[in-house]
Amino acid sequence: QGRKRLTMVTSWGRGLAGVHDAAQRCADNIIAMSDGMIDVDLKSAGELVGAFECFDAVSSGQADVYHAADYYFVGQSPSFAFYTSIPFGMTAQELNNWYYHMGGRELQDELGELFNLKTFAAGNTGAQAGGWFKKEINSPEDFNGLRFRMPGLGGKALGHLGASVQNIPGAEVYNALAKDEIDGTEWIGPWADEKAGFFEITKIYYTSGFHEPGPGLSLAFNRDVYNDFTPAEQKIVECAAAEVNVWGLSQFLANNGAALQRLISQGVQTLTFPESVWDAFGTASEQVYEENMTDAMFAKTFDSYRDSLVKSAGWMSLAGSTYAAERNRVLGI
């Protein structure tokens, strides 16, 4: 008596390294913290709705909660991109600074009200790799006509460089790359990419990208469902998500180093984009920002996000970045 049963849908194929783990841990946390009074039935992508259909399912009440990367839903509002990542955006720490202390969570709540959602930060992959390519990228012109998988506003920026951008669910990317339906893909980073097996298809790996320097994941409830929770239950789901926000980031960062070495031992080439390509990424990203400024919610969120980024980056660069560079030099890392 009094027990609640929630149906959780996700954008992740069952077993996708890190991202499905984060969704499962959210579910397990809620069950454990409520002493079983809230049960969560997790459905991976395709088991109830498709990977990109979970937003509509929860907004409409077909399902109770989703776990996803919100930039999949920029078609509903471009402002959703901020809660995953925008090109040349925030690192994971900078995103948390904004989200918890500099207005991000309040803006997310304002956005969620428009779509009958109550959303919490619930995971982060850390800085993502530039991606896997079947040919080297030596100039911005090499993106012209390139069929590349990249969601969100980063993908729209690549479109400005002439790429044919694909938005493919994570569980389907390997087959698309293997069947030559795409010429390249970004996914996450060494550990998740190794698990996905992309190195079996191509050995060209760009290890730093412009598109997702610290992308967040989201746990989003149907607002009517959330409003029916008691205050204690509302705090349980908030804390369950917050724990995963820390745990998930640490999981990726703890595994990436060793995975990168294994990839290199398999013959993977680790490359960096030339400055001309980075500059082209920057110009294209600014064009994407400008295209969305007519959306009042986007413009309002962008101003808050950029102000927070400037304030966080100034000190973090002076203190943390300088320290890390000198530490690594002194220790020979």
Side-chain angles (χ1 to χ4, degrees):
Q1 186 176 5
R3 292 189 176 186
K4 295 180 171 70
R5 182 173 177 83
L6 305 180
T7 298
M8 177 192 287
V9 291
T10 79
S11 289
W12 322 120
R14 191 167 291 277
L16 277 180
V19 286
H20 182 268
D21 296 340
Q24 186 65 63
R25 191 168 179 91
C26 282
D28 293 345
N29 281 355
I30 292 169
I31 294 168
M33 293 168 70
S34 68
D35 199 22
M37 294 302 289
I38 305 176
D39 190 23
V40 183
D41 181 19
L42 190 154
K43 305 289 188 184
S44 65
E47 293 180 359
L48 181 62
V49 298
F52 299 149
E53 297 167 4
C54 59
F55 180 100
D56 289 339
V58 173
S59 179
S60 68
Q62 180 185 358
D64 301 307
V65 56
Y66 73 69
H67 189 274
D70 270 350
Y71 73 165
Y72 290 145
F73 313 125
V74 293
Q76 281 84 352
S77 169
S79 296
F80 281 106
F82 292 104
Y83 304 100
T84 303
S85 189
I86 63 171
F88 289 93
M90 294 180 173
T91 65
Q93 184 59 62
E94 289 165 344
L95 183 65
N96 282 342
N97 296 352
W98 176 61
Y99 185 78
Y100 290 114
H101 297 289
M102 303 177 80
R105 182 160 48 178
E106 291 78 11
L107 284 165
Q108 184 184 55
D109 206 42
E110 185 177 339
L111 177 65
E113 287 183 358
L114 303 176
F115 296 92
N116 199 35
L117 297 173
K118 176 67 176 180
T119 307
F120 301 93
N124 197 300
T125 72
Q128 294 202 359
W132 299 85
F133 293 76
K134 293 183 178 179
K135 66 175 185 179
E136 291 189 20
I137 301 298
N138 297 308
S139 72
E141 289 71 29
D142 288 334
F143 281 98
N144 192 35
L146 192 78
R147 299 168 302 165
F148 198 80
R149 184 265 181 194
M150 181 181 283
L153 300 189
K156 293 185 183 299
L158 284 191
H160 280 286
L161 300 183
S164 173
V165 181
Q166 314 292 316
N167 191 8
I168 302 170
E172 301 173 19
V173 176
Y174 180 93
N175 285 339
L177 193 64
K179 293 177 180 178
D180 284 326
E181 294 171 358
I182 53 177
D183 303 310
T185 184
E186 63 82 41
W187 178 228
I188 298 176
W191 175 57
D193 292 6
E194 178 193 32
K195 294 286 188 182
F198 300 132
F199 67 96
E200 299 167 354
I201 304 169
T202 179
K203 304 296 186 183
I204 300 173
Y205 192 37
Y206 283 82
T207 52
S208 183
F210 75 104
H211 58 300
E212 295 181 56
L217 307 176
S218 294
L219 185 72
F221 290 82
N222 176 280
R223 189 169 282 265
D224 297 328
V225 170
Y226 177 81
N227 288 340
D228 280 342
F229 288 159
T230 66
E233 290 168 337
Q234 290 179 350
K235 183 57 70 172
I236 282 171
V237 300
E238 177 186 349
C239 293
E243 191 271 349
V244 175
N245 206 35
V246 175
W247 180 89
L249 174 63
S250 301
Q251 184 190 34
F252 282 106
L253 298 184
N255 285 289
N256 277 340
L260 180 62
Q261 294 307 310
R262 291 192 297 268
L263 289 172
I264 292 171
S265 73
Q266 295 283 338
V268 170
Q269 305 174 57
T270 58
L271 304 175
T272 57
F273 296 116
E275 282 190 4
S276 63
V277 171
W278 279 101
D279 290 343
F281 288 156
T283 298
S285 298
E286 290 294 336
Q287 290 173 326
V288 171
Y289 301 154
E290 287 303 316
E291 289 167 357
N292 288 286
M293 286 300 180
T294 55
D295 182 295
M297 190 70 203
F298 182 92
K300 178 180 179 180
T301 308
F302 182 90
D303 288 344
S304 171
Y305 183 99
R306 180 60 67 87
D307 180 66
S308 176
L309 173 59
V310 170
K311 289 174 179 174
S312 287
W315 171 246
M316 291 173 69
S317 177
L318 286 171
S321 296
T322 300
Y323 163 73
E326 291 303 319
R327 178 200 61 193
N328 294 351
R329 181 186 65 80
V330 170
L331 299 182
I333 296 175

